Amino acid sequence: MAGLCAGALWALAPQAASAQGRLEAQYEASLSGIPVGRGTWGIEINEDSFSASAQGATAGLLKAFSGGTGSGSSQGRIVNGVLVPTSYTATISSKKSETIRMVLANGNIKESVIEPEPPVDPDRIVVTEAHKKNVLDPMTGTLLRVPGTGDLLAPESCRAATSVFDGRLRYDLKLDYKRMEIVKAEKGYHGPALVCAVYFTPVAGYIPDRPVIKYLQAERRMEISFVPIAGTRVLVPFRTTIPTPFGPAVLEATHFHTVATPPRVAKTQ
């Protein structure tokens, strides 16, 4: 099953308390136009908390190149409009099954475990404690928060970078503006999308000689088409495209339903 390509989250300005919304989406993964899997994704953004969960497609850039099924979830708080993840869990099953669990606090990894514990590979670049600071989990990292009150789909929304740790691999992603386009799901969203180029740089937790790492690091044609979650200033991927030697790997929404949700009313005497 193709994975959701980790994007970026940048929050530089306060968010209004009334900015709340929900997304329920279904995605289809394809390789060179041939369907290879399906998945669902749900996101809930409330006044002071958020949650995201995926079934069938797991969050992480490298999963677009491997088979299997999985599930993932991320939860966190919203502090002055900033999405601050507190936990992340992913279970991946292909030839074998493994579960990754992380606890985060203020952008730092406080706890990270992989079950069963993988063997130590001497060729793998070691992840240090310094690598686990100022990072996002890969699912929260897929949510692109646009600061301010201007146009959500402006070119400036693409021009940013972030750091991600997925429990094993620490990497950096840089986005840059590419174009605007109109996208249409089979059911649900039909409208404009902001297309960002995405560039991948491995930092730690990887084996340098692994071909997929070299390929992704050199590839300059990867892109993500972002659309908004109604009622919020958060953009999510509608389509992710990663060129491969076997043709484009694409993860695209087939059903995309998003609604704004009203703020909670404060209790009065």
Side-chain angles (χ1 to χ4, degrees), residues 25 79 85 93-94 96-97 108 124 126 128 176 179 181 190 197 207 231 244 263 269:
V79 182
S93 300
S94 52
K96 61 179 182 178
S97 179
N108 301 322
R124 189 179 299 276
V126 175
T128 67
D176 202 0
R179 66 182 183 277
E181 66 181 16
H190 180 194
I207 299 173
T244 81
Q269 296 293 331

PDB file of all heavy atoms in Angstrom, residues 25 79 85 93-94 96-97 108 124 126 128 176 179 181 190 197 207 231 244 263 269:
ATOM      1  N   ALA A  25     -11.686  11.070   4.201  1.00  0.00           N
ATOM      2  CA  ALA A  25     -11.233  10.892   2.824  1.00  0.00           C
ATOM      3  C   ALA A  25     -10.858   9.445   2.551  1.00  0.00           C
ATOM      4  O   ALA A  25     -10.474   8.700   3.462  1.00  0.00           O
ATOM      5  CB  ALA A  25     -10.039  11.806   2.535  1.00  0.00           C
ATOM      6  N   VAL A  79      -1.875  24.960  20.400  1.00  0.00           N
ATOM      7  CA  VAL A  79      -1.388  26.014  21.293  1.00  0.00           C
ATOM      8  C   VAL A  79      -1.136  27.268  20.466  1.00  0.00           C
ATOM      9  O   VAL A  79      -0.256  27.289  19.612  1.00  0.00           O
ATOM     10  CB  VAL A  79      -0.097  25.578  22.017  1.00  0.00           C
ATOM     11  CG1 VAL A  79       0.365  26.677  22.976  1.00  0.00           C
ATOM     12  CG2 VAL A  79      -0.307  24.270  22.762  1.00  0.00           C
ATOM     13  N   PRO A  85       2.098  17.954  18.288  1.00  0.00           N
ATOM     14  CA  PRO A  85       1.805  16.536  18.491  1.00  0.00           C
ATOM     15  C   PRO A  85       2.300  16.040  19.834  1.00  0.00           C
ATOM     16  O   PRO A  85       3.338  16.480  20.339  1.00  0.00           O
ATOM     17  CB  PRO A  85       2.553  15.857  17.345  1.00  0.00           C
ATOM     18  CG  PRO A  85       3.644  16.804  16.972  1.00  0.00           C
ATOM     19  CD  PRO A  85       3.092  18.180  17.219  1.00  0.00           C
ATOM     20  N   SER A  93       2.302  -3.980   8.326  1.00  0.00           N
ATOM     21  CA  SER A  93       2.354  -5.424   8.109  1.00  0.00           C
ATOM     22  C   SER A  93       2.623  -5.706   6.640  1.00  0.00           C
ATOM     23  O   SER A  93       1.879  -5.262   5.773  1.00  0.00           O
ATOM     24  CB  SER A  93       1.027  -6.090   8.521  1.00  0.00           C
ATOM     25  OG  SER A  93       0.748  -5.874   9.879  1.00  0.00           O
ATOM     26  N   SER A  94       3.700  -6.425   6.369  1.00  0.00           N
ATOM     27  CA  SER A  94       3.983  -6.900   5.017  1.00  0.00           C
ATOM     28  C   SER A  94       4.497  -8.329   5.170  1.00  0.00           C
ATOM     29  O   SER A  94       3.720  -9.233   5.446  1.00  0.00           O
ATOM     30  CB  SER A  94       4.982  -5.983   4.304  1.00  0.00           C
ATOM     31  OG  SER A  94       6.141  -5.782   5.091  1.00  0.00           O
ATOM     32  N   LYS A  96       6.446  -9.076   7.573  1.00  0.00           N
ATOM     33  CA  LYS A  96       6.348  -9.182   9.022  1.00  0.00           C
ATOM     34  C   LYS A  96       5.608  -7.959   9.526  1.00  0.00           C
ATOM     35  O   LYS A  96       5.336  -7.025   8.779  1.00  0.00           O
ATOM     36  CB  LYS A  96       7.738  -9.282   9.661  1.00  0.00           C
ATOM     37  CG  LYS A  96       8.618  -8.064   9.401  1.00  0.00           C
ATOM     38  CD  LYS A  96       9.969  -8.221  10.079  1.00  0.00           C
ATOM     39  CE  LYS A  96      10.829  -6.965   9.843  1.00  0.00           C
ATOM     40  NZ  LYS A  96      12.139  -7.068  10.531  1.00  0.00           N
ATOM     41  N   SER A  97       5.271  -7.963  10.789  1.00  0.00           N
ATOM     42  CA  SER A  97       4.518  -6.859  11.373  1.00  0.00           C
ATOM     43  C   SER A  97       5.378  -6.140  12.406  1.00  0.00           C
ATOM     44  O   SER A  97       6.123  -6.778  13.164  1.00  0.00           O
ATOM     45  CB  SER A  97       3.233  -7.377  12.034  1.00  0.00           C
ATOM     46  OG  SER A  97       2.524  -6.306  12.624  1.00  0.00           O
ATOM     47  N   ASN A 108       9.871  17.721  20.657  1.00  0.00           N
ATOM     48  CA  ASN A 108      10.971  16.810  20.963  1.00  0.00           C
ATOM     49  C   ASN A 108      10.437  15.403  21.226  1.00  0.00           C
ATOM     50  O   ASN A 108       9.373  15.234  21.821  1.00  0.00           O
ATOM     51  CB  ASN A 108      11.745  17.301  22.183  1.00  0.00           C
ATOM     52  CG  ASN A 108      12.313  18.699  21.974  1.00  0.00           C
ATOM     53  OD1 ASN A 108      12.773  19.032  20.873  1.00  0.00           O
ATOM     54  ND2 ASN A 108      12.276  19.518  23.010  1.00  0.00           N
ATOM     55  N   ARG A 124      23.946   1.465   9.365  1.00  0.00           N
ATOM     56  CA  ARG A 124      22.921   2.497   9.536  1.00  0.00           C
ATOM     57  C   ARG A 124      23.479   3.685  10.321  1.00  0.00           C
ATOM     58  O   ARG A 124      24.111   3.506  11.368  1.00  0.00           O
ATOM     59  CB  ARG A 124      21.703   1.911  10.262  1.00  0.00           C
ATOM     60  CG  ARG A 124      20.488   2.843  10.286  1.00  0.00           C
ATOM     61  CD  ARG A 124      19.313   2.166  11.001  1.00  0.00           C
ATOM     62  NE  ARG A 124      18.896   0.947  10.334  1.00  0.00           N
ATOM     63  CZ  ARG A 124      18.052   0.908   9.306  1.00  0.00           C
ATOM     64  NH1 ARG A 124      17.538   2.036   8.825  1.00  0.00           N
ATOM     65  NH2 ARG A 124      17.716  -0.248   8.760  1.00  0.00           N
ATOM     66  N   VAL A 126      23.588   6.392  12.915  1.00  0.00           N
ATOM     67  CA  VAL A 126      22.953   6.395  14.233  1.00  0.00           C
ATOM     68  C   VAL A 126      22.131   7.663  14.438  1.00  0.00           C
ATOM     69  O   VAL A 126      22.577   8.778  14.108  1.00  0.00           O
ATOM     70  CB  VAL A 126      24.020   6.276  15.342  1.00  0.00           C
ATOM     71  CG1 VAL A 126      23.382   6.397  16.720  1.00  0.00           C
ATOM     72  CG2 VAL A 126      24.760   4.952  15.202  1.00  0.00           C
ATOM     73  N   THR A 128      20.895  10.260  16.989  1.00  0.00           N
ATOM     74  CA  THR A 128      21.278  10.750  18.302  1.00  0.00           C
ATOM     75  C   THR A 128      20.110  11.491  18.947  1.00  0.00           C
ATOM     76  O   THR A 128      19.096  11.771  18.308  1.00  0.00           O
ATOM     77  CB  THR A 128      22.484  11.693  18.191  1.00  0.00           C
ATOM     78  OG1 THR A 128      22.069  12.882  17.500  1.00  0.00           O
ATOM     79  CG2 THR A 128      23.625  11.036  17.427  1.00  0.00           C
ATOM     80  N   ASP A 176       8.560  23.795  -2.197  1.00  0.00           N
ATOM     81  CA  ASP A 176       8.685  24.999  -3.002  1.00  0.00           C
ATOM     82  C   ASP A 176       7.490  25.061  -3.950  1.00  0.00           C
ATOM     83  O   ASP A 176       6.953  24.034  -4.371  1.00  0.00           O
ATOM     84  CB  ASP A 176       9.992  24.989  -3.790  1.00  0.00           C
ATOM     85  CG  ASP A 176      10.417  26.392  -4.199  1.00  0.00           C
ATOM     86  OD1 ASP A 176       9.686  27.359  -3.868  1.00  0.00           O
ATOM     87  OD2 ASP A 176      11.473  26.528  -4.841  1.00  0.00           O
ATOM     88  N   ARG A 179       2.880  25.150  -8.930  1.00  0.00           N
ATOM     89  CA  ARG A 179       1.797  25.651  -9.778  1.00  0.00           C
ATOM     90  C   ARG A 179       0.477  25.545  -9.014  1.00  0.00           C
ATOM     91  O   ARG A 179       0.412  24.969  -7.936  1.00  0.00           O
ATOM     92  CB  ARG A 179       1.687  24.844 -11.080  1.00  0.00           C
ATOM     93  CG  ARG A 179       1.272  23.397 -10.871  1.00  0.00           C
ATOM     94  CD  ARG A 179       1.223  22.611 -12.171  1.00  0.00           C
ATOM     95  NE  ARG A 179       0.751  21.246 -11.937  1.00  0.00           N
ATOM     96  CZ  ARG A 179       1.533  20.245 -11.532  1.00  0.00           C
ATOM     97  NH1 ARG A 179       2.822  20.474 -11.338  1.00  0.00           N
ATOM     98  NH2 ARG A 179       1.028  19.044 -11.324  1.00  0.00           N
ATOM     99  N   GLU A 181      -3.616  24.209  -9.663  1.00  0.00           N
ATOM    100  CA  GLU A 181      -4.392  23.353 -10.542  1.00  0.00           C
ATOM    101  C   GLU A 181      -5.776  23.122  -9.943  1.00  0.00           C
ATOM    102  O   GLU A 181      -6.015  23.430  -8.771  1.00  0.00           O
ATOM    103  CB  GLU A 181      -3.694  22.012 -10.780  1.00  0.00           C
ATOM    104  CG  GLU A 181      -3.568  21.133  -9.542  1.00  0.00           C
ATOM    105  CD  GLU A 181      -2.849  19.820  -9.834  1.00  0.00           C
ATOM    106  OE1 GLU A 181      -2.200  19.713 -10.892  1.00  0.00           O
ATOM    107  OE2 GLU A 181      -2.937  18.909  -8.989  1.00  0.00           O
ATOM    108  N   HIS A 190     -14.144  19.479  -5.200  1.00  0.00           N
ATOM    109  CA  HIS A 190     -13.830  19.871  -6.575  1.00  0.00           C
ATOM    110  C   HIS A 190     -13.452  21.344  -6.518  1.00  0.00           C
ATOM    111  O   HIS A 190     -14.286  22.202  -6.242  1.00  0.00           O
ATOM    112  CB  HIS A 190     -15.040  19.662  -7.492  1.00  0.00           C
ATOM    113  CG  HIS A 190     -14.768  20.061  -8.914  1.00  0.00           C
ATOM    114  ND1 HIS A 190     -15.771  20.230  -9.853  1.00  0.00           N
ATOM    115  CD2 HIS A 190     -13.600  20.340  -9.563  1.00  0.00           C
ATOM    116  CE1 HIS A 190     -15.235  20.575 -11.014  1.00  0.00           C
ATOM    117  NE2 HIS A 190     -13.923  20.659 -10.865  1.00  0.00           N
ATOM    118  N   ALA A 197       6.459  21.379  -4.974  1.00  0.00           N
ATOM    119  CA  ALA A 197       7.552  20.430  -5.143  1.00  0.00           C
ATOM    120  C   ALA A 197       8.062  20.057  -3.760  1.00  0.00           C
ATOM    121  O   ALA A 197       8.024  20.871  -2.825  1.00  0.00           O
ATOM    122  CB  ALA A 197       8.674  21.051  -5.969  1.00  0.00           C
ATOM    123  N   ILE A 207      20.571   3.748   5.829  1.00  0.00           N
ATOM    124  CA  ILE A 207      21.767   3.103   5.303  1.00  0.00           C
ATOM    125  C   ILE A 207      22.147   3.823   4.009  1.00  0.00           C
ATOM    126  O   ILE A 207      21.391   3.788   3.032  1.00  0.00           O
ATOM    127  CB  ILE A 207      21.519   1.604   5.053  1.00  0.00           C
ATOM    128  CG1 ILE A 207      21.158   0.915   6.380  1.00  0.00           C
ATOM    129  CG2 ILE A 207      22.749   0.950   4.441  1.00  0.00           C
ATOM    130  CD1 ILE A 207      20.724  -0.525   6.221  1.00  0.00           C
ATOM    131  N   GLY A 231     -13.033  25.357   7.221  1.00  0.00           N
ATOM    132  CA  GLY A 231     -13.115  25.976   8.533  1.00  0.00           C
ATOM    133  C   GLY A 231     -11.794  26.155   9.238  1.00  0.00           C
ATOM    134  O   GLY A 231     -11.760  26.633  10.371  1.00  0.00           O
ATOM    135  N   THR A 244       9.056   6.993 -10.182  1.00  0.00           N
ATOM    136  CA  THR A 244       9.877   5.822  -9.886  1.00  0.00           C
ATOM    137  C   THR A 244      10.380   5.241 -11.202  1.00  0.00           C
ATOM    138  O   THR A 244       9.873   5.574 -12.274  1.00  0.00           O
ATOM    139  CB  THR A 244       9.082   4.732  -9.131  1.00  0.00           C
ATOM    140  OG1 THR A 244       8.297   3.981 -10.074  1.00  0.00           O
ATOM    141  CG2 THR A 244       8.182   5.331  -8.060  1.00  0.00           C
ATOM    142  N   PRO A 263     -17.673  26.178  16.771  1.00  0.00           N
ATOM    143  CA  PRO A 263     -16.929  26.178  18.050  1.00  0.00           C
ATOM    144  C   PRO A 263     -17.837  25.805  19.185  1.00  0.00           C
ATOM    145  O   PRO A 263     -19.053  25.982  19.130  1.00  0.00           O
ATOM    146  CB  PRO A 263     -16.414  27.610  18.172  1.00  0.00           C
ATOM    147  CG  PRO A 263     -17.399  28.418  17.377  1.00  0.00           C
ATOM    148  CD  PRO A 263     -17.818  27.539  16.241  1.00  0.00           C
ATOM    149  N   GLN A 269     -23.554  30.946  33.580  1.00  0.00           N
ATOM    150  CA  GLN A 269     -24.290  30.712  34.815  1.00  0.00           C
ATOM    151  C   GLN A 269     -25.778  30.807  34.569  1.00  0.00           C
ATOM    152  O   GLN A 269     -26.221  31.624  33.798  1.00  0.00           O
ATOM    153  CB  GLN A 269     -23.874  31.770  35.874  1.00  0.00           C
ATOM    154  CG  GLN A 269     -22.420  31.656  36.279  1.00  0.00           C
ATOM    155  CD  GLN A 269     -22.124  30.373  37.045  1.00  0.00           C
ATOM    156  OE1 GLN A 269     -22.981  29.824  37.718  1.00  0.00           O
ATOM    157  NE2 GLN A 269     -20.903  29.886  36.932  1.00  0.00           N
TER     158      GLN A 269
END
